[in-house]
Amino acid sequence: MQYFGIPTCPYCKKHVNLVRTWRLKREGEYKCPRCGGISNIYLSPLVYVFAVLAICAGVCIYFFHKFVLDDIELFTCLQIFIPFAIFFFLSLFTVYLKRPVIRRVQREAPRPAPQRSAEPERRAPSRDDTFTEMNTGRYRENNEPERRVDRRV
């Protein structure tokens, strides 16, 4: 797996243009114009290292100018901005493309409907039958059809 470099299509090995890579950083999928293969877009773990380095360099430059040289000017802001511009440029090379993993889920075979007999089933009263709310009609039995009430006026 390539963590630093120009991203390439995992199907046809064609390099992706850097301008397109800049746009791809924010998207989730890439469709290769040459082969039509679809791949997922990932950012390398190096992007976090580069981000921390850029922040540390910017803070060090600020504190150096503030406390050592004791001069904060407009040119100092430009010097603080330089590590972030380098980070932005290096982040273009931390994008890589990977084939998507397609997991197929096996569906269960449809279960046959239970056979109903003409005679109602006789069973011993269970502990659930002692609850008064259960037999008021508020809750539907598993094998009863759902009752729909037409409330049109």
Side-chain angles (χ1 to χ4, degrees):
M1 188 176 323
Q2 182 180 358
Y3 284 137
F4 189 78
I6 299 174
T8 59
C9 175
Y11 299 100
C12 65
K13 306 297 183 209
K14 180 186 179 226
H15 290 286
V16 180
N17 187 355
L18 286 179
V19 175
R20 183 172 283 181
T21 303
W22 178 72
R23 199 181 86 228
L24 284 178
K25 288 191 305 183
R26 300 176 193 268
E27 296 178 11
E29 281 186 348
Y30 169 71
K31 184 174 181 183
C32 182
R34 177 194 238 175
C35 66
I38 296 175
S39 55
N40 290 336
I41 300 168
Y42 293 100
L43 288 177
S44 169
L46 289 174
V47 77
Y48 302 111
V49 174
F50 292 150
V52 169
L53 288 175
I55 292 169
C56 290
V59 169
C60 288
I61 291 171
Y62 171 76
F63 281 121
F64 181 75
H65 278 278
K66 176 74 174 167
F67 296 113
V68 175
L69 297 179
D70 198 28
D71 66 338
I72 298 292
E73 298 173 355
L74 189 59
F75 187 68
T76 307
C77 293
L78 179 66
Q79 288 178 348
I80 292 172
F81 178 72
I82 288 173
F84 295 102
I86 293 171
F87 164 72
F88 179 75
F89 180 71
L90 287 177
S91 68
L92 293 175
F93 297 100
T94 60
V95 176
Y96 65 96
L97 304 173
K98 216 171 154 185
R99 288 184 182 188
V101 177
I102 300 172
R103 295 187 180 118
R104 297 194 176 164
V105 179
Q106 293 180 352
R107 295 185 181 179
E108 294 180 17
R111 296 180 183 168
Q115 298 292 329
R116 292 188 185 182
S117 62
E119 197 173 305
E121 185 179 314
R122 307 256 177 183
R123 60 182 172 94
S126 67
R127 186 173 150 209
D128 293 335
D129 291 337
T130 59
F131 293 110
T132 57
E133 282 189 30
M134 295 296 288
N135 297 324
T136 60
R138 183 174 179 187
Y139 298 106
R140 174 171 74 84
E141 294 279 331
N142 286 342
N143 54 4
E144 274 185 38
E146 186 177 335
R147 295 181 201 146
R148 296 189 183 247
V149 178
D150 192 15
R151 297 185 179 179
R152 287 187 254 167
V153 177

